């Protein structure tokens, strides 16, 4: 029995040691995962371009921070395909993010959002989570999504969208009606309903098209 235990323990130790990658190996594997992405064309949608840019910047940062002594591979030595924003990972999170991409690959998705309606001035006394609308149709929704490069969700990146991109759908699930809403100064009756907002091409947590249910309030005519 003790001999069997020794053999099994030795195999487990050997396996764990084999799984321990050096920083250079992590950056190489992350670069290989990025190379599986196709470079978007001019006709690609905004989310495809965001995924490429965000992955390029993140994996490129992995390479330069973990493998600075080696030339940057061609796959990472590319121009961005569109404008946008990217937040550099903190030193504390960087290794975890790079290791996650090396181990899990890339499976971008979005899981949260802050919406607003074009041209509607926000009332500061309303709860931040309410979408504030006017009576003008159609409803033109813009916003920022909270997105991740894979299921580990170690560090979020913002994805901004505009109604000008087309396809953003806002459908009433519950039509607006007068309801009592608690404001800072006390309760007030306002027209409120529930909207389903769907963002084209964006991938949600379930792997399907991103959508969200949001409480909306009519604040102006």
């Amino acid at each position: 029995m003790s001999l069997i235990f020794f053999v099994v323990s030795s195999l487990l130790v050997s396996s764990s040691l084999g799984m321990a990658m050096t920083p250079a190996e992590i950056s190489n594997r992350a670069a290989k995962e990025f190379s599986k992405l196709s470079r978007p064309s001019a006709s690609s949608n905004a989310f495809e371009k965001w995924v490429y840019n965000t992955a390029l910047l993140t994996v490129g940062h992995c390479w330069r921070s973990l493998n600075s002594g080696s030339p940057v591979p061609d796959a990472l030595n590319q121009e961005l395909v569109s404008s946008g924003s990217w937040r550099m990972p903190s030193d504390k999170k960087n290794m975890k993010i790079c290791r996650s991409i090396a181990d899990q690959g890339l499976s971008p998705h979005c899981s949260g959002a802050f919406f607003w309606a074009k041209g509607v001035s926000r009332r500061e006394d309303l709860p931040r989570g309410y979408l504030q609308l006017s009576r003008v149709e159609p409803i033109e929704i813009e916003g920022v999504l909270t997105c991740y490069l894979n299921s580990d969700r170690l560090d979020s990146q913002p994805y901004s969208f505009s109604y000008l991109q087309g396809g953003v759908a806002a459908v009433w699930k519950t039509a607006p009606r007068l309801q009592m809403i608690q404001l800072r100064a006390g309760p007030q009756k306002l027209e409120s309903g529930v909207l389903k907002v769907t963002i084209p091409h964006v991938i949600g947590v379930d792997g399907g098209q991103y959508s969200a249910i949001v409480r909306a309030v009519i604040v102006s005519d």
Side-chain angles (χ1 to χ4, degrees), residues 148-201:
Y148 302 87
L149 283 176
N150 66 19
S151 58
D152 283 344
R153 300 175 68 181
L154 293 175
D155 198 32
S156 65
Q157 292 287 344
Y159 171 71
S160 300
F161 69 91
S162 166
Y163 76 98
L164 292 173
Q165 295 170 358
V168 178
V171 178
W172 288 110
K173 301 291 288 183
T174 303
R177 60 182 178 84
L178 280 175
Q179 299 183 54
M180 195 68 73
I181 295 177
Q182 184 64 41
L183 306 181
R184 294 174 186 171
Q188 182 179 339
K189 273 193 173 183
L190 293 170
E191 286 187 86
S192 177
V194 177
L195 274 175
K196 181 179 181 180
V197 179
T198 303
I199 314 300
H201 312 301

Side-chain angles (χ1 to χ4, degrees), residues 81-96:
V81 294
S82 63
S83 60
S85 61
W86 176 74
R87 184 172 56 247
M88 182 182 295
S90 65
D91 292 340
K92 184 177 180 180
K93 288 185 176 180
N94 185 56
M95 176 61 84
K96 291 181 179 179

Side-chain angles (χ1 to χ4, degrees), residues 2-209:
S2 60
L3 178 60
I4 294 174
F5 177 77
F6 174 76
V7 172
V8 172
S9 298
S10 298
L11 288 173
L12 289 173
V13 171
S14 297
S15 176
S16 63
L17 288 175
M19 291 175 64
M21 294 186 290
T22 66
E25 288 170 335
I26 291 172
S27 62
N28 270 288
R29 282 183 56 174
K32 287 181 181 178
E33 291 298 329
F34 172 78
S35 68
K36 296 176 183 179
L37 290 179
S38 298
R39 183 176 174 84
S41 65
S43 61
S44 297
N45 63 64
F47 188 66
E48 289 172 333
K49 293 176 181 178
W50 177 89
V51 168
Y52 184 87
N53 283 349
T54 304
L56 174 61
L57 291 167
T58 302
V59 177
H61 182 65
C62 288
W63 184 278
R64 292 174 178 87
S65 61
L66 303 181
N67 200 11
S68 58
S70 300
V72 177
D74 290 342
L76 298 177
N77 196 21
Q78 302 293 322
E79 296 291 332
L80 300 177
V81 294
S82 63
S83 60
S85 61
W86 176 74
R87 184 172 56 247
M88 182 182 295
S90 65
D91 292 340
K92 184 177 180 180
K93 288 185 176 180
N94 185 56
M95 176 61 84
K96 291 181 179 179
I97 294 169
C98 299
R99 177 61 185 262
S100 173
I101 294 172
D103 285 343
Q104 307 295 332
L106 297 165
S107 52
H109 65 279
C110 302
S111 65
F114 177 65
F115 300 125
W116 60 85
K118 176 184 175 291
V120 176
S121 298
R122 288 188 57 83
R123 285 180 49 170
E124 296 302 323
D125 58 339
L126 278 167
R128 186 175 184 273
Y130 281 75
L131 176 60
Q132 301 185 25
L133 304 176
S134 70
R135 298 185 190 279
V136 177
E137 297 286 349
I139 301 171
E140 295 176 334
I141 302 297
E142 300 178 323
V144 179
L145 302 181
T146 300
C147 304
Y148 302 87
L149 283 176
N150 66 19
S151 58
D152 283 344
R153 300 175 68 181
L154 293 175
D155 198 32
S156 65
Q157 292 287 344
Y159 171 71
S160 300
F161 69 91
S162 166
Y163 76 98
L164 292 173
Q165 295 170 358
V168 178
V171 178
W172 288 110
K173 301 291 288 183
T174 303
R177 60 182 178 84
L178 280 175
Q179 299 183 54
M180 195 68 73
I181 295 177
Q182 184 64 41
L183 306 181
R184 294 174 186 171
Q188 182 179 339
K189 273 193 173 183
L190 293 170
E191 286 187 86
S192 177
V194 177
L195 274 175
K196 181 179 181 180
V197 179
T198 303
I199 314 300
H201 312 301
V202 175
I203 301 170
V205 176
D206 61 356
Q209 184 171 242

